[in-house]
Amino acid sequence: MIFTPYGDPQRSERNLEPTEFFDFRHPSVASFVERTIQGEDDPVARAIRLFYAVRDEVRYDMYGVTIDPSRFRASDVLSRGAGFCIPKASLLVAALRAAGIPAVIGTSDVVNHFTTPKMERAMGGRTIFLHHGYATMYLAGKWVKAVPAFNKELCGKMGVGPTEFDGRSDALLQEYDAEKNVRMSYLKDHGHWTDLPMSRISGDFLGYYPDTFTTLG
């Protein structure tokens, strides 16, 4: 696994390979990608289609937090039809690679007011969400980032506009709701990996959160 702690990811053939978590050769992932990009050859247009398919066809499940490695595989995310931010980012990275688009996964720590009292209790009063997951892909000669976490239906219920992606600019967060209240702030970026850094994520979760958080799923 290649880790790029700062700046853009390294250019590498590994950015196109299947991995334990980005298992795009699994029949369900391959079928999902084929159906989504059917008839489209342009990489930017393919990436946009895949982003919206992951964003809206896979429900965001804030109570699905777990450190079970199997739940972070792209094929598992599709089979469940739901996942929190990291598994959904894993699915997008896998789908992009299957479509011939170099992609890696990145994570950042965020403060997210896009939550519920139940989640706040599970987090034990902590306010930082560690390892908010996103995909970084190489399109039109540059790297761009996109978070496919929050599906359109959920955003409508929460009064927040969904993240939109044009394939050329970063699409990272819904900073404000419809009434201009701050919803999310980024605190620290953890860089990029060519495969999901499961041991780091699980270690950080276990060290920071109470058991009530990592057993939600």
Side-chain angles (χ1 to χ4, degrees), residues 72-141:
F72 292 79
R73 295 192 186 105
S75 57
D76 186 82
V77 180
L78 275 177
S79 70
R80 293 177 180 276
F84 66 109
C85 60
I86 305 172
K88 289 191 69 173
S90 290
L91 173 58
L92 180 55
V93 171
L96 290 164
R97 291 186 181 187
I101 299 167
V104 297
I105 195 163
T107 69
S108 293
D109 297 342
V110 302
V111 174
N112 186 6
H113 306 284
F114 193 55
T115 186
T116 66
K118 178 180 177 180
M119 178 62 77
E120 291 174 359
R121 291 192 298 271
M123 292 174 67
R126 291 158 179 79
T127 59
I128 298 173
F129 287 78
L130 302 181
H131 294 294
H132 183 54
Y134 61 89
T136 299
M137 65 208 81
Y138 194 75
L139 293 171

Side-chain angles (χ1 to χ4, degrees), residues 10-153:
Q10 296 182 31
R11 298 289 302 278
S12 169
E13 288 299 316
R14 294 190 182 185
N15 300 338
L16 285 165
E17 294 175 351
T19 70
E20 176 184 359
F21 296 99
F22 310 146
D23 57 341
F24 63 76
R25 288 180 180 159
H26 189 282
S28 64
V29 182
S31 177
F32 170 79
V33 173
E34 182 178 3
R35 169 176 59 83
T36 303
I37 67 171
Q38 185 176 20
E40 182 56 69
D41 295 325
D42 178 65
V44 173
R46 284 185 168 195
I48 293 170
R49 286 190 184 185
L50 291 168
F51 170 83
Y52 284 107
V54 174
R55 190 194 74 176
D56 293 332
E57 293 182 25
V58 179
R59 177 177 56 84
Y60 177 71
D61 182 8
M62 71 175 69
Y63 303 121
V65 177
T66 178
I67 54 172
D68 176 357
S70 68
R71 298 278 293 276
F72 292 79
R73 295 192 186 105
S75 57
D76 186 82
V77 180
L78 275 177
S79 70
R80 293 177 180 276
F84 66 109
C85 60
I86 305 172
K88 289 191 69 173
S90 290
L91 173 58
L92 180 55
V93 171
L96 290 164
R97 291 186 181 187
I101 299 167
V104 297
I105 195 163
T107 69
S108 293
D109 297 342
V110 302
V111 174
N112 186 6
H113 306 284
F114 193 55
T115 186
T116 66
K118 178 180 177 180
M119 178 62 77
E120 291 174 359
R121 291 192 298 271
M123 292 174 67
R126 291 158 179 79
T127 59
I128 298 173
F129 287 78
L130 302 181
H131 294 294
H132 183 54
Y134 61 89
T136 299
M137 65 208 81
Y138 194 75
L139 293 171
K142 67 177 183 177
W143 292 97
V144 292
K145 304 174 182 178
V147 175
F150 306 121
N151 53 291
K152 186 176 182 179
E153 182 180 3

